[in-house]
Amino acid sequence: PGIPVGTALASRALANVLKLHTPPMAGIWCGIEPKVCPFPIVFSIVFCGGYSESVDLGNQLMYTGEGRVDKKGFMQAHQELEAGNRALLQSMIHGSHVRVIRGSTATKVGVQPYLPPQGYRYDGLYTVKYCWH
């Protein structure tokens, strides 16, 4: 939406105002309800290290998707291929780009050098290359 890559965002609320990522908590934004469109694609994700299995290599992410975690950040079960997770798969199938916003709160999973020191940062368009369950 005309926002330069690297733009610092003080909060997720600002990401909402700029239409980069509107959900206040969810890490995946499809922009449309699955009941309206059964196979939506993903508009954006927020990488905040909610899962200990997430990996950030700068130009590549291993994004764990949506699901439940325990208090230490570990998945409680395999992610189900529904809602945002299914939309990530559809984004891979269609080769659509996904906006990535990184958040400083991801430091709770350990040292991650590609995260902003505070708040959030729009880091551009990525493509989904792999998906597994």
Side-chain angles (χ1 to χ4, degrees), residues 28-43 82-94 96:
I28 300 173
W29 179 39
C30 302
I32 191 166
E33 291 295 320
K35 59 187 163 191
V36 175
C37 176
F39 300 105
I41 59 171
V42 172
F43 291 156
E82 55 191 28
N85 295 337
R86 181 173 50 190
L88 282 169
L89 173 63
Q90 291 299 312
S91 295
M92 181 188 77
I93 290 169
H94 295 289
S96 60

PDB file of all heavy atoms in Angstrom, residues 28-43 82-94 96:
ATOM      1  N   ILE A  28      -1.675 -13.963  11.309  1.00  0.00           N
ATOM      2  CA  ILE A  28      -1.961 -14.127   9.884  1.00  0.00           C
ATOM      3  C   ILE A  28      -3.198 -13.318   9.542  1.00  0.00           C
ATOM      4  O   ILE A  28      -4.227 -13.424  10.217  1.00  0.00           O
ATOM      5  CB  ILE A  28      -2.195 -15.617   9.527  1.00  0.00           C
ATOM      6  CG1 ILE A  28      -0.959 -16.448   9.861  1.00  0.00           C
ATOM      7  CG2 ILE A  28      -2.555 -15.761   8.052  1.00  0.00           C
ATOM      8  CD1 ILE A  28      -1.158 -17.951   9.699  1.00  0.00           C
ATOM      9  N   TRP A  29      -3.094 -12.511   8.479  1.00  0.00           N
ATOM     10  CA  TRP A  29      -4.241 -11.732   8.018  1.00  0.00           C
ATOM     11  C   TRP A  29      -4.589 -12.146   6.600  1.00  0.00           C
ATOM     12  O   TRP A  29      -3.781 -11.991   5.686  1.00  0.00           O
ATOM     13  CB  TRP A  29      -3.961 -10.240   8.068  1.00  0.00           C
ATOM     14  CG  TRP A  29      -5.093  -9.394   7.573  1.00  0.00           C
ATOM     15  CD1 TRP A  29      -6.429  -9.601   7.785  1.00  0.00           C
ATOM     16  CD2 TRP A  29      -5.005  -8.203   6.801  1.00  0.00           C
ATOM     17  NE1 TRP A  29      -7.170  -8.604   7.186  1.00  0.00           N
ATOM     18  CE2 TRP A  29      -6.314  -7.735   6.579  1.00  0.00           C
ATOM     19  CE3 TRP A  29      -3.929  -7.485   6.286  1.00  0.00           C
ATOM     20  CZ2 TRP A  29      -6.580  -6.585   5.852  1.00  0.00           C
ATOM     21  CZ3 TRP A  29      -4.211  -6.337   5.560  1.00  0.00           C
ATOM     22  CH2 TRP A  29      -5.511  -5.889   5.353  1.00  0.00           C
ATOM     23  N   CYS A  30      -5.785 -12.667   6.438  1.00  0.00           N
ATOM     24  CA  CYS A  30      -6.264 -13.084   5.116  1.00  0.00           C
ATOM     25  C   CYS A  30      -7.081 -11.990   4.450  1.00  0.00           C
ATOM     26  O   CYS A  30      -7.301 -12.042   3.244  1.00  0.00           O
ATOM     27  CB  CYS A  30      -7.111 -14.345   5.217  1.00  0.00           C
ATOM     28  SG  CYS A  30      -6.234 -15.718   5.953  1.00  0.00           S
ATOM     29  N   GLY A  31      -7.559 -11.027   5.217  1.00  0.00           N
ATOM     30  CA  GLY A  31      -8.330  -9.940   4.650  1.00  0.00           C
ATOM     31  C   GLY A  31      -9.765 -10.306   4.341  1.00  0.00           C
ATOM     32  O   GLY A  31     -10.555  -9.456   3.979  1.00  0.00           O
ATOM     33  N   ILE A  32     -10.103 -11.576   4.446  1.00  0.00           N
ATOM     34  CA  ILE A  32     -11.464 -12.027   4.175  1.00  0.00           C
ATOM     35  C   ILE A  32     -11.740 -13.253   5.033  1.00  0.00           C
ATOM     36  O   ILE A  32     -10.847 -14.066   5.270  1.00  0.00           O
ATOM     37  CB  ILE A  32     -11.661 -12.329   2.669  1.00  0.00           C
ATOM     38  CG1 ILE A  32     -13.126 -12.544   2.342  1.00  0.00           C
ATOM     39  CG2 ILE A  32     -10.816 -13.505   2.228  1.00  0.00           C
ATOM     40  CD1 ILE A  32     -13.421 -12.509   0.858  1.00  0.00           C
ATOM     41  N   GLU A  33     -12.943 -13.352   5.497  1.00  0.00           N
ATOM     42  CA  GLU A  33     -13.323 -14.489   6.335  1.00  0.00           C
ATOM     43  C   GLU A  33     -13.399 -15.775   5.521  1.00  0.00           C
ATOM     44  O   GLU A  33     -13.952 -15.764   4.416  1.00  0.00           O
ATOM     45  CB  GLU A  33     -14.678 -14.229   6.994  1.00  0.00           C
ATOM     46  CG  GLU A  33     -14.645 -13.140   8.041  1.00  0.00           C
ATOM     47  CD  GLU A  33     -13.795 -13.509   9.236  1.00  0.00           C
ATOM     48  OE1 GLU A  33     -13.843 -14.675   9.675  1.00  0.00           O
ATOM     49  OE2 GLU A  33     -13.080 -12.634   9.730  1.00  0.00           O
ATOM     50  N   PRO A  34     -12.852 -16.884   6.026  1.00  0.00           N
ATOM     51  CA  PRO A  34     -12.932 -18.154   5.304  1.00  0.00           C
ATOM     52  C   PRO A  34     -14.361 -18.575   4.953  1.00  0.00           C
ATOM     53  O   PRO A  34     -14.590 -19.228   3.957  1.00  0.00           O
ATOM     54  CB  PRO A  34     -12.275 -19.157   6.256  1.00  0.00           C
ATOM     55  CG  PRO A  34     -11.360 -18.320   7.087  1.00  0.00           C
ATOM     56  CD  PRO A  34     -12.051 -16.993   7.233  1.00  0.00           C
ATOM     57  N   LYS A  35     -15.364 -18.163   5.762  1.00  0.00           N
ATOM     58  CA  LYS A  35     -16.744 -18.533   5.433  1.00  0.00           C
ATOM     59  C   LYS A  35     -17.254 -17.756   4.218  1.00  0.00           C
ATOM     60  O   LYS A  35     -18.181 -18.192   3.554  1.00  0.00           O
ATOM     61  CB  LYS A  35     -17.657 -18.357   6.633  1.00  0.00           C
ATOM     62  CG  LYS A  35     -17.720 -16.970   7.203  1.00  0.00           C
ATOM     63  CD  LYS A  35     -18.533 -16.969   8.493  1.00  0.00           C
ATOM     64  CE  LYS A  35     -18.234 -15.690   9.269  1.00  0.00           C
ATOM     65  NZ  LYS A  35     -18.770 -15.741  10.589  1.00  0.00           N
ATOM     66  N   VAL A  36     -16.632 -16.604   3.907  1.00  0.00           N
ATOM     67  CA  VAL A  36     -16.996 -15.835   2.718  1.00  0.00           C
ATOM     68  C   VAL A  36     -16.261 -16.385   1.501  1.00  0.00           C
ATOM     69  O   VAL A  36     -16.822 -16.522   0.421  1.00  0.00           O
ATOM     70  CB  VAL A  36     -16.653 -14.338   2.917  1.00  0.00           C
ATOM     71  CG1 VAL A  36     -16.902 -13.549   1.642  1.00  0.00           C
ATOM     72  CG2 VAL A  36     -17.434 -13.768   4.081  1.00  0.00           C
ATOM     73  N   CYS A  37     -14.991 -16.691   1.672  1.00  0.00           N
ATOM     74  CA  CYS A  37     -14.163 -17.256   0.604  1.00  0.00           C
ATOM     75  C   CYS A  37     -13.458 -18.472   1.187  1.00  0.00           C
ATOM     76  O   CYS A  37     -12.581 -18.329   2.042  1.00  0.00           O
ATOM     77  CB  CYS A  37     -13.149 -16.230   0.116  1.00  0.00           C
ATOM     78  SG  CYS A  37     -12.013 -16.860  -1.112  1.00  0.00           S
ATOM     79  N   PRO A  38     -13.812 -19.687   0.768  1.00  0.00           N
ATOM     80  CA  PRO A  38     -13.253 -20.881   1.405  1.00  0.00           C
ATOM     81  C   PRO A  38     -11.746 -21.072   1.198  1.00  0.00           C
ATOM     82  O   PRO A  38     -11.116 -21.804   1.938  1.00  0.00           O
ATOM     83  CB  PRO A  38     -14.043 -22.028   0.778  1.00  0.00           C
ATOM     84  CG  PRO A  38     -14.594 -21.479  -0.478  1.00  0.00           C
ATOM     85  CD  PRO A  38     -14.762 -20.011  -0.284  1.00  0.00           C
ATOM     86  N   PHE A  39     -11.155 -20.410   0.202  1.00  0.00           N
ATOM     87  CA  PHE A  39      -9.722 -20.574  -0.045  1.00  0.00           C
ATOM     88  C   PHE A  39      -9.038 -19.219  -0.201  1.00  0.00           C
ATOM     89  O   PHE A  39      -8.523 -18.897  -1.265  1.00  0.00           O
ATOM     90  CB  PHE A  39      -9.489 -21.446  -1.286  1.00  0.00           C
ATOM     91  CG  PHE A  39     -10.068 -22.823  -1.144  1.00  0.00           C
ATOM     92  CD1 PHE A  39     -11.232 -23.167  -1.799  1.00  0.00           C
ATOM     93  CD2 PHE A  39      -9.454 -23.749  -0.326  1.00  0.00           C
ATOM     94  CE1 PHE A  39     -11.775 -24.436  -1.645  1.00  0.00           C
ATOM     95  CE2 PHE A  39      -9.991 -25.015  -0.168  1.00  0.00           C
ATOM     96  CZ  PHE A  39     -11.155 -25.357  -0.825  1.00  0.00           C
ATOM     97  N   PRO A  40      -9.012 -18.423   0.883  1.00  0.00           N
ATOM     98  CA  PRO A  40      -8.362 -17.113   0.787  1.00  0.00           C
ATOM     99  C   PRO A  40      -6.840 -17.247   0.754  1.00  0.00           C
ATOM    100  O   PRO A  40      -6.287 -18.292   1.104  1.00  0.00           O
ATOM    101  CB  PRO A  40      -8.813 -16.408   2.067  1.00  0.00           C
ATOM    102  CG  PRO A  40      -8.992 -17.530   3.045  1.00  0.00           C
ATOM    103  CD  PRO A  40      -9.522 -18.687   2.210  1.00  0.00           C
ATOM    104  N   ILE A  41      -6.177 -16.188   0.312  1.00  0.00           N
ATOM    105  CA  ILE A  41      -4.721 -16.113   0.392  1.00  0.00           C
ATOM    106  C   ILE A  41      -4.365 -15.166   1.535  1.00  0.00           C
ATOM    107  O   ILE A  41      -5.214 -14.447   2.049  1.00  0.00           O
ATOM    108  CB  ILE A  41      -4.097 -15.634  -0.936  1.00  0.00           C
ATOM    109  CG1 ILE A  41      -4.645 -14.261  -1.313  1.00  0.00           C
ATOM    110  CG2 ILE A  41      -4.321 -16.656  -2.042  1.00  0.00           C
ATOM    111  CD1 ILE A  41      -3.937 -13.603  -2.471  1.00  0.00           C
ATOM    112  N   VAL A  42      -3.109 -15.171   1.924  1.00  0.00           N
ATOM    113  CA  VAL A  42      -2.646 -14.340   3.036  1.00  0.00           C
ATOM    114  C   VAL A  42      -2.169 -12.995   2.509  1.00  0.00           C
ATOM    115  O   VAL A  42      -1.422 -12.931   1.534  1.00  0.00           O
ATOM    116  CB  VAL A  42      -1.499 -15.051   3.800  1.00  0.00           C
ATOM    117  CG1 VAL A  42      -0.882 -14.135   4.838  1.00  0.00           C
ATOM    118  CG2 VAL A  42      -2.011 -16.323   4.445  1.00  0.00           C
ATOM    119  N   PHE A  43      -2.612 -11.923   3.157  1.00  0.00           N
ATOM    120  CA  PHE A  43      -2.125 -10.582   2.843  1.00  0.00           C
ATOM    121  C   PHE A  43      -0.853 -10.278   3.624  1.00  0.00           C
ATOM    122  O   PHE A  43       0.077  -9.691   3.111  1.00  0.00           O
ATOM    123  CB  PHE A  43      -3.174  -9.521   3.157  1.00  0.00           C
ATOM    124  CG  PHE A  43      -4.365  -9.544   2.257  1.00  0.00           C
ATOM    125  CD1 PHE A  43      -5.565  -9.016   2.677  1.00  0.00           C
ATOM    126  CD2 PHE A  43      -4.308 -10.084   0.982  1.00  0.00           C
ATOM    127  CE1 PHE A  43      -6.677  -9.017   1.855  1.00  0.00           C
ATOM    128  CE2 PHE A  43      -5.405 -10.097   0.150  1.00  0.00           C
ATOM    129  CZ  PHE A  43      -6.601  -9.561   0.591  1.00  0.00           C
ATOM    130  N   GLU A  82      -6.202 -25.188   8.556  1.00  0.00           N
ATOM    131  CA  GLU A  82      -7.458 -24.452   8.496  1.00  0.00           C
ATOM    132  C   GLU A  82      -7.176 -22.980   8.727  1.00  0.00           C
ATOM    133  O   GLU A  82      -6.076 -22.605   9.141  1.00  0.00           O
ATOM    134  CB  GLU A  82      -8.453 -24.996   9.530  1.00  0.00           C
ATOM    135  CG  GLU A  82      -7.912 -25.006  10.926  1.00  0.00           C
ATOM    136  CD  GLU A  82      -8.784 -25.791  11.906  1.00  0.00           C
ATOM    137  OE1 GLU A  82      -9.481 -26.726  11.501  1.00  0.00           O
ATOM    138  OE2 GLU A  82      -8.735 -25.454  13.101  1.00  0.00           O
ATOM    139  N   ALA A  83      -8.147 -22.147   8.424  1.00  0.00           N
ATOM    140  CA  ALA A  83      -8.070 -20.697   8.604  1.00  0.00           C
ATOM    141  C   ALA A  83      -6.777 -20.121   7.995  1.00  0.00           C
ATOM    142  O   ALA A  83      -6.509 -20.327   6.821  1.00  0.00           O
ATOM    143  CB  ALA A  83      -8.231 -20.347  10.079  1.00  0.00           C
ATOM    144  N   GLY A  84      -5.987 -19.410   8.808  1.00  0.00           N
ATOM    145  CA  GLY A  84      -4.778 -18.773   8.302  1.00  0.00           C
ATOM    146  C   GLY A  84      -3.753 -19.752   7.767  1.00  0.00           C
ATOM    147  O   GLY A  84      -3.050 -19.462   6.798  1.00  0.00           O
ATOM    148  N   ASN A  85      -3.650 -20.926   8.378  1.00  0.00           N
ATOM    149  CA  ASN A  85      -2.698 -21.931   7.898  1.00  0.00           C
ATOM    150  C   ASN A  85      -3.076 -22.407   6.490  1.00  0.00           C
ATOM    151  O   ASN A  85      -2.221 -22.571   5.628  1.00  0.00           O
ATOM    152  CB  ASN A  85      -2.635 -23.118   8.859  1.00  0.00           C
ATOM    153  CG  ASN A  85      -2.083 -22.716  10.211  1.00  0.00           C
ATOM    154  OD1 ASN A  85      -1.378 -21.731  10.339  1.00  0.00           O
ATOM    155  ND2 ASN A  85      -2.429 -23.476  11.228  1.00  0.00           N
ATOM    156  N   ARG A  86      -4.373 -22.610   6.263  1.00  0.00           N
ATOM    157  CA  ARG A  86      -4.828 -23.013   4.931  1.00  0.00           C
ATOM    158  C   ARG A  86      -4.587 -21.878   3.930  1.00  0.00           C
ATOM    159  O   ARG A  86      -4.224 -22.113   2.782  1.00  0.00           O
ATOM    160  CB  ARG A  86      -6.300 -23.400   4.955  1.00  0.00           C
ATOM    161  CG  ARG A  86      -6.793 -23.835   3.580  1.00  0.00           C
ATOM    162  CD  ARG A  86      -8.183 -24.378   3.597  1.00  0.00           C
ATOM    163  NE  ARG A  86      -9.081 -23.481   4.297  1.00  0.00           N
ATOM    164  CZ  ARG A  86     -10.331 -23.781   4.631  1.00  0.00           C
ATOM    165  NH1 ARG A  86     -10.819 -24.959   4.341  1.00  0.00           N
ATOM    166  NH2 ARG A  86     -11.087 -22.919   5.257  1.00  0.00           N
ATOM    167  N   ALA A  87      -4.761 -20.634   4.378  1.00  0.00           N
ATOM    168  CA  ALA A  87      -4.512 -19.482   3.504  1.00  0.00           C
ATOM    169  C   ALA A  87      -3.031 -19.393   3.126  1.00  0.00           C
ATOM    170  O   ALA A  87      -2.701 -19.000   2.005  1.00  0.00           O
ATOM    171  CB  ALA A  87      -4.985 -18.201   4.179  1.00  0.00           C
ATOM    172  N   LEU A  88      -2.132 -19.757   4.043  1.00  0.00           N
ATOM    173  CA  LEU A  88      -0.703 -19.798   3.692  1.00  0.00           C
ATOM    174  C   LEU A  88      -0.450 -20.825   2.598  1.00  0.00           C
ATOM    175  O   LEU A  88       0.313 -20.581   1.662  1.00  0.00           O
ATOM    176  CB  LEU A  88       0.151 -20.114   4.921  1.00  0.00           C
ATOM    177  CG  LEU A  88       0.395 -18.963   5.883  1.00  0.00           C
ATOM    178  CD1 LEU A  88       1.011 -19.473   7.183  1.00  0.00           C
ATOM    179  CD2 LEU A  88       1.275 -17.902   5.256  1.00  0.00           C
ATOM    180  N   LEU A  89      -1.096 -21.973   2.701  1.00  0.00           N
ATOM    181  CA  LEU A  89      -0.972 -22.992   1.661  1.00  0.00           C
ATOM    182  C   LEU A  89      -1.498 -22.452   0.328  1.00  0.00           C
ATOM    183  O   LEU A  89      -0.848 -22.622  -0.713  1.00  0.00           O
ATOM    184  CB  LEU A  89      -1.737 -24.259   2.053  1.00  0.00           C
ATOM    185  CG  LEU A  89      -1.820 -25.351   0.979  1.00  0.00           C
ATOM    186  CD1 LEU A  89      -0.436 -25.883   0.627  1.00  0.00           C
ATOM    187  CD2 LEU A  89      -2.727 -26.480   1.448  1.00  0.00           C
ATOM    188  N   GLN A  90      -2.641 -21.785   0.347  1.00  0.00           N
ATOM    189  CA  GLN A  90      -3.193 -21.204  -0.888  1.00  0.00           C
ATOM    190  C   GLN A  90      -2.258 -20.148  -1.472  1.00  0.00           C
ATOM    191  O   GLN A  90      -2.103 -20.044  -2.695  1.00  0.00           O
ATOM    192  CB  GLN A  90      -4.575 -20.599  -0.627  1.00  0.00           C
ATOM    193  CG  GLN A  90      -5.642 -21.626  -0.346  1.00  0.00           C
ATOM    194  CD  GLN A  90      -5.842 -22.579  -1.515  1.00  0.00           C
ATOM    195  OE1 GLN A  90      -5.963 -22.172  -2.662  1.00  0.00           O
ATOM    196  NE2 GLN A  90      -5.861 -23.865  -1.220  1.00  0.00           N
ATOM    197  N   SER A  91      -1.608 -19.381  -0.606  1.00  0.00           N
ATOM    198  CA  SER A  91      -0.639 -18.384  -1.077  1.00  0.00           C
ATOM    199  C   SER A  91       0.533 -19.063  -1.779  1.00  0.00           C
ATOM    200  O   SER A  91       1.032 -18.571  -2.786  1.00  0.00           O
ATOM    201  CB  SER A  91      -0.131 -17.544   0.099  1.00  0.00           C
ATOM    202  OG  SER A  91      -1.194 -16.799   0.644  1.00  0.00           O
ATOM    203  N   MET A  92       0.959 -20.212  -1.252  1.00  0.00           N
ATOM    204  CA  MET A  92       2.035 -20.979  -1.891  1.00  0.00           C
ATOM    205  C   MET A  92       1.569 -21.503  -3.249  1.00  0.00           C
ATOM    206  O   MET A  92       2.264 -21.343  -4.255  1.00  0.00           O
ATOM    207  CB  MET A  92       2.472 -22.135  -1.005  1.00  0.00           C
ATOM    208  CG  MET A  92       3.599 -22.963  -1.603  1.00  0.00           C
ATOM    209  SD  MET A  92       3.951 -24.457  -0.660  1.00  0.00           S
ATOM    210  CE  MET A  92       2.606 -25.505  -1.185  1.00  0.00           C
ATOM    211  N   ILE A  93       0.395 -22.092  -3.297  1.00  0.00           N
ATOM    212  CA  ILE A  93      -0.129 -22.669  -4.533  1.00  0.00           C
ATOM    213  C   ILE A  93      -0.249 -21.609  -5.629  1.00  0.00           C
ATOM    214  O   ILE A  93       0.110 -21.843  -6.783  1.00  0.00           O
ATOM    215  CB  ILE A  93      -1.495 -23.350  -4.275  1.00  0.00           C
ATOM    216  CG1 ILE A  93      -1.285 -24.610  -3.431  1.00  0.00           C
ATOM    217  CG2 ILE A  93      -2.220 -23.669  -5.580  1.00  0.00           C
ATOM    218  CD1 ILE A  93      -2.572 -25.215  -2.890  1.00  0.00           C
ATOM    219  N   HIS A  94      -0.716 -20.426  -5.263  1.00  0.00           N
ATOM    220  CA  HIS A  94      -0.952 -19.364  -6.245  1.00  0.00           C
ATOM    221  C   HIS A  94       0.255 -18.454  -6.459  1.00  0.00           C
ATOM    222  O   HIS A  94       0.225 -17.588  -7.331  1.00  0.00           O
ATOM    223  CB  HIS A  94      -2.165 -18.537  -5.840  1.00  0.00           C
ATOM    224  CG  HIS A  94      -3.439 -19.331  -5.856  1.00  0.00           C
ATOM    225  ND1 HIS A  94      -4.038 -19.750  -7.019  1.00  0.00           N
ATOM    226  CD2 HIS A  94      -4.195 -19.819  -4.838  1.00  0.00           C
ATOM    227  CE1 HIS A  94      -5.123 -20.441  -6.734  1.00  0.00           C
ATOM    228  NE2 HIS A  94      -5.230 -20.514  -5.417  1.00  0.00           N
ATOM    229  N   SER A  96       1.328 -16.125  -4.571  1.00  0.00           N
ATOM    230  CA  SER A  96       1.051 -14.745  -4.168  1.00  0.00           C
ATOM    231  C   SER A  96       2.041 -14.283  -3.096  1.00  0.00           C
ATOM    232  O   SER A  96       2.551 -15.082  -2.317  1.00  0.00           O
ATOM    233  CB  SER A  96      -0.389 -14.612  -3.664  1.00  0.00           C
ATOM    234  OG  SER A  96      -0.601 -15.449  -2.567  1.00  0.00           O
TER     235      SER A  96
END
